[in-house]
Amino acid sequence: MPRRFGAFGGAYVPETLVPALAELERAWRSARRDPGFRSELRRWSRQLGGRPTPLYPAENFSRRGGGAEIWLKREDLLHGGAHKFNNALGQGLLARRMGKRRLIAETGAGQHGVATAMIGAALGLPTEVYMGRVDIERQAPNVQRMELLGATVHPVTAGRRTLKEAINAALRDWIGSVETTHYVLGSAVGPHPFPSMVCDFQSVIGREIVAQSRALWGRAPDLAVACVGGGSNAIGTFHPLLRTPVELLGVEAGGRGDGVGASSLTQGRPGILHGAYTYVLQDAEGQVRDTESVSAGLDYAAVGPEHAMLRASGRVRYVSVRDDQALRAFHWLAEDEGILPALEPSHALFAALREARRRPRRSRVVVTLSGRGDKDLEVVLQHGSHRPR
Amino acid sequence: MAAIDLADALARRKAAGEGSLLVYLMVDAARRRRLPAVARGLADAGVAGVELGVPFSDPIADGPVLQSAAAAALGHGTRWADLLEALDVVVEHLPAAVMTYANPVLRRGLARACGELRAHGGSALILPDVSLDESGPWEAAARRASLAVVQMASPATPIPRVARLASRSTGFLYLVARYGTTGTGQRPDLAALRDRVDAAHRARPALPVLVGFGVRGPPDVRRIRSAHADGAILGSAMEERLRRSPTATSVERFLGPLVRAAA
């Protein structure tokens, strides 16, 4: 399990967390070799999660592009409505194996908080979730879901009151509670071993894409597209495809388009945030910049360190999509396919359509539809971009 | 006058059997004018040295008091240049270390930052989010600038690792008193603390071990001294006092009993 991805990654944390991270790495190394743990993970994924998720041909949406076929990897159909289940389940089982008695998590859009609350309930582990006050307002349905699932939601009122501050608060809790508590970090970010471990748990997405595309059309897709905030659904999609010729495209949030949005890979520079050396949106003094995006789940000033390496090496191409473009893609998919996508993968849908347009009809583009859009209805309706056909 | 070196000052006190009190001050552009008086108050009270804090946007090791101090300082437009200016003022009176998070230093450039700190009289660098395992490049840059790098240990640190931290630390070893962030947490487990102080002393008998995080008053300092530590570090409590009353007299009156408890 790599501590670094090229120059990126590492574990820049207070000393109090060092033994806990070492314990976590040992536990994960032993669990991933343990057939009992692996079969338990598969069983829960199937029986509670609903894996495997379908690979769906979005024929009407593809016609809108008029080029390549667009297929959707339906992580929105996973239990809880997002890919976050994969990681929350894996870490929950690991926490139980380590004898931890309490789970904490941060959440931006609320999907990871919901997933952790579900797993906490299923495994009988009390769960507390940190969420920025701004996100609590814009993703209210997910807050209610977490509370109904028995979790405690702590509003975070520092700074811009979004995902970055929620991670700060969860890390501070963990520094004080590390003996009894596991921090279920929700994305492929943070100190080692989180980026590698989260990638392992999310790679089921890419492995299923490989198997399903072979079964459906006999080979891998030509292009795989996923949205990138911290980057967990993207790394899960990309990782099993890294050693293949499949083209990979990561899509960051460009916000309104008049600033940096939340595009750390395309607008940031290397720095250290939340325990990792990675691309960070920061000013000349090394202070982390405020981000803005219509999607709470992409609204983050840094990115997983493996993405930083993949950008530096050129293996993955990263682009930025604005709020208004993502909102258009949201409506297109809803009207064309009867699927309400979350605003996060709506960014990937827009970029995928743009790419498909330039490609021949027989080529195939897979987009990871990382979550469903029920949580976003209020934001979408507020933007008023809906026009009846 | 030439700045006094913090490592020398602490070592001299330790050799004389005297304990030390260090005080953490957040650099804040809005407090520039009263810093000389505060520094004088600290020196008159008998404080051994100052840790100057550079505010960072995401201070994960800090509790509510120092979080809000950092947010206020950034709101006042505090920059790296303000740190250098604060160093100039403080080292007139007391030896000074600089404590901040990794990114502001990295952004400045390790070599450049260390060179500037030394040129402005700074003695040591303390980075709570650069653990021993990532410390190599930071230590190399600091060594080239003759700057000490203070390692931090905590109650979570296994004893053999405390010995390694003490062996690598320069200036002093910063022992975190308890699980939790600055200014917060339960009462320290004195036995756990003493085991770690003793482990550090066995590894490096001459290296002072100072204990911080959650130190509020003379009883805390006495408990820390009873756990064989060479002194204590005061952060959040000092910040709260300065908010109420930032004069030299008030600082001196507040710190007097703490300095005596540390002695």
Side-chain angles (χ1 to χ4, degrees):
Chain A
M1 206 187 311
R3 185 181 174 89
R4 295 250 170 203
F5 305 93
F8 299 100
Y12 295 86
V13 291
E15 181 65 27
T16 299
L17 294 183
V18 170
L21 292 170
E23 180 199 3
L24 182 60
E25 181 175 359
R26 279 192 304 275
W28 174 228
R29 275 180 195 280
S30 116
R32 72 202 294 231
R33 277 195 309 266
D34 175 356
F37 182 85
R38 292 212 307 266
S39 86
E40 192 183 20
L41 184 63
R42 271 197 304 273
R43 182 169 56 77
W44 282 88
S45 293
R46 198 173 59 241
Q47 296 177 334
L48 181 66
R51 297 217 76 90
T53 59
L55 190 59
Y56 170 75
E59 290 174 8
N60 302 329
F61 186 65
S62 301
R63 267 197 288 282
R64 191 182 280 276
E69 287 174 20
I70 297 175
W71 292 68
L72 305 178
K73 179 59 178 165
R74 298 291 309 275
E75 293 296 296
D76 60 318
L77 294 179
L78 201 58
H79 182 39
H83 73 291
K84 296 293 188 186
F85 176 88
N86 301 323
N87 172 49
L89 170 65
Q91 288 197 45
L93 290 174
L94 199 59
R96 192 173 69 174
R97 188 181 161 101
M98 287 190 292
K100 299 291 182 182
R101 299 194 295 273
R102 170 179 175 257
L103 301 180
I104 55 170
E106 87 296 340
T107 198
Q111 292 298 134
H112 175 61
V114 166
T116 308
M118 290 179 337
I119 297 304
L123 299 180
L125 293 167
T127 301
E128 295 176 41
V129 180
Y130 290 90
M131 187 171 190
R133 175 68 76 187
V134 166
D135 291 338
I136 285 179
E137 279 158 26
R138 61 178 165 173
Q139 310 275 223
N142 273 343
V143 179
Q144 289 152 355
R145 289 166 79 200
M146 283 182 263
E147 287 172 346
L148 288 170
L149 291 161
T152 306
V153 180
H154 298 293
V156 179
T157 54
R160 258 202 80 244
R161 294 164 290 170
T162 58
L163 179 56
K164 175 171 72 85
E165 288 78 20
I167 297 178
N168 291 344
L171 282 169
R172 289 187 190 114
D173 179 315
W174 205 31
I175 291 170
S177 64
V178 65
E179 291 172 294
T180 57
T181 298
H182 176 66
Y183 176 18
V184 185
L185 187 44
S187 192
V189 302
H192 175 72
F194 281 108
S196 300
M197 190 176 65
V198 175
C199 173
D200 275 348
F201 288 131
Q202 292 294 359
S203 289
V204 65
I205 302 173
R207 287 197 305 272
E208 284 181 10
I209 290 174
V210 170
Q212 290 167 323
S213 58
R214 280 213 191 104
L216 284 160
W217 64 78
R219 59 181 180 86
D222 299 284
L223 169 70
V225 186
C227 62
V228 181
S232 70
N233 92 81
I235 206 68
T237 302
F238 297 162
H239 205 268
L241 297 167
L242 286 177
R243 289 168 202 283
T244 72
V246 177
E247 246 187 275
L248 304 172
L249 180 68
V251 185
E252 294 192 294
R256 287 188 304 270
D258 53 0
V260 293
S263 303
S264 38
L265 285 165
T266 46
Q267 305 274 334
R269 55 181 296 153
I272 294 168
L273 181 65
H274 295 148
Y277 179 62
T278 183
Y279 282 86
V280 178
L281 289 167
Q282 56 180 306
D283 68 14
E285 294 276 316
Q287 306 296 341
V288 180
R289 290 178 65 168
D290 288 345
T291 54
E292 49 101 10
S293 166
V294 69
S295 65
L298 302 184
D299 200 348
Y300 182 53
V303 66
E306 192 168 4
H307 286 293
M309 177 192 74
L310 293 170
R311 174 202 184 269
S313 73
R315 175 62 188 91
V316 180
R317 188 156 53 93
Y318 293 91
V319 296
S320 184
V321 160
R322 294 190 313 267
D323 290 350
D324 62 309
Q325 295 171 322
L327 283 160
R328 290 218 300 276
F330 174 98
H331 289 294
W332 291 338
L333 196 76
E335 291 166 16
D336 294 348
E337 303 291 346
I339 297 171
L340 292 175
L343 285 172
E344 290 78 13
S346 296
H347 290 73
L349 288 166
F350 185 90
L353 199 71
R354 197 164 55 186
E355 290 290 324
R357 203 165 272 151
R358 301 187 196 128
R359 288 163 196 264
R361 277 173 199 280
R362 58 181 184 287
S363 67
R364 293 180 184 90
V365 176
V366 170
V367 187
T368 299
L369 194 57
S370 57
R372 68 177 186 221
D374 310 51
K375 69 184 177 64
D376 294 316
L377 296 190
E378 202 178 311
V379 175
V380 169
L381 295 174
Q382 265 169 12
H383 275 79
S385 54
H386 182 65
R387 34 174 188 69
R389 281 207 269 208
Chain B
M1 117 188 171
I4 313 156
D5 187 77
L6 181 64
D8 290 347
L10 294 176
R12 257 202 315 276
R13 281 171 174 261
K14 181 177 165 70
E18 245 182 280
S20 302
L21 184 74
L22 291 191
V23 168
Y24 175 97
L25 296 178
M26 180 70 78
V27 175
D28 184 330
R31 294 178 179 178
R32 179 185 300 152
R33 286 180 50 194
R34 49 183 222 236
L35 184 60
V38 169
R40 203 171 48 246
L42 294 174
D44 291 347
V47 160
V50 171
E51 290 176 10
L52 281 176
V54 184
F56 178 52
S57 51
D58 296 272
I60 56 165
D62 283 310
V65 173
L66 294 185
Q67 281 175 51
S68 73
L74 290 173
H76 299 143
T78 305
R79 302 166 64 88
W80 186 263
D82 296 296
L83 164 70
L84 300 181
E85 201 183 309
L87 271 174
D88 292 340
V89 172
V90 166
V91 300
E92 291 271 319
H93 303 277
L94 286 165
V98 170
M99 184 165 184
T100 186
Y101 291 84
N103 205 50
V105 182
L106 188 68
R107 187 71 179 85
R108 192 74 181 172
L110 299 190
R112 181 182 176 196
C114 291
E116 287 174 341
L117 297 187
R118 193 63 194 167
H120 288 262
S123 303
L125 191 56
I126 310 170
L127 299 158
D129 59 344
V130 180
S131 63
L132 185 67
D133 318 275
E134 305 292 352
S135 195
W138 307 72
E139 287 169 319
R143 203 179 308 120
R144 278 194 291 275
S146 304
L147 209 58
V149 175
V150 175
Q151 298 289 346
M152 299 178 82
S154 108
T157 312
I159 297 293
R161 188 173 162 93
V162 174
R164 276 178 59 212
L165 286 161
S167 310
R168 282 267 289 275
S169 199
T170 42
F172 65 96
L173 179 71
Y174 193 135
L175 181 57
V176 173
R178 62 201 86 197
Y179 289 89
T181 50
T182 55
T184 64
Q186 306 295 310
R187 264 208 180 172
D189 173 348
L190 278 187
L193 215 55
R194 191 166 46 235
D195 290 348
R196 281 158 184 77
V197 175
D198 291 346
H201 282 155
R202 277 195 301 277
R204 283 273 299 283
L207 185 76
V209 179
L210 272 58
V211 178
F213 280 43
V215 178
R216 304 212 64 86
D220 296 320
V221 176
R222 277 192 288 273
R223 273 194 289 275
I224 286 166
R225 288 286 279 147
S226 77
H228 305 167
D230 302 294
I233 303 167
L234 193 72
S236 299
M238 185 73 230
E239 169 64 26
E240 285 176 314
R241 179 71 181 195
L242 285 173
R243 278 182 204 173
R244 285 203 304 276
S245 171
T247 64
T249 334
S250 159
V251 165
E252 206 182 325
R253 198 177 306 139
F254 172 61
L255 288 173
L258 286 146
V259 169
R260 283 193 292 280

